[in-house]
Amino acid sequence: MEAQKILVEYLKQHGEITLGIYRDLLKTSRKYAMSILEYFDSIKLTKRIDNVRILYKGE
């Protein structure tokens, strides 16, 4: 999945990402980007902390 690859590569370089940055990376709408990020949260690829997301490492 290209959206996942873009997200993981960005997080490995920067450590965290905001919805706005992810929207810009995908060149899509805020609504669509939020849906994708929420999906990645639900499968524990990412974890939301306030307004940023990080790679999920388990607890």
Side-chain angles (χ1 to χ4, degrees), residues 10-26:
Y10 186 90
L11 286 172
K12 285 182 179 177
Q13 289 180 1
H14 299 92
E16 64 184 34
I17 195 167
T18 64
L19 174 59
I21 292 170
Y22 191 58
R23 176 201 63 214
D24 293 345
L25 289 172
L26 294 183

Side-chain angles (χ1 to χ4, degrees), residues 2-59:
E2 189 67 22
Q4 181 174 340
K5 180 181 171 194
I6 291 169
L7 178 62
V8 171
E9 286 179 9
Y10 186 90
L11 286 172
K12 285 182 179 177
Q13 289 180 1
H14 299 92
E16 64 184 34
I17 195 167
T18 64
L19 174 59
I21 292 170
Y22 191 58
R23 176 201 63 214
D24 293 345
L25 289 172
L26 294 183
K27 298 176 177 66
T28 190
S29 69
R30 186 177 190 281
K31 180 180 176 181
Y32 184 67
M34 181 177 291
S35 294
I36 295 171
L37 287 174
E38 288 174 348
Y39 168 73
F40 290 144
D41 292 344
S42 75
I43 63 167
K44 299 201 184 309
L45 175 68
T46 56
K47 181 177 182 178
R48 182 174 178 209
I49 301 173
D50 294 324
N51 291 326
V52 300
R53 284 178 168 80
I54 61 171
L55 282 176
Y56 188 87
K57 294 182 174 77
E59 292 167 324

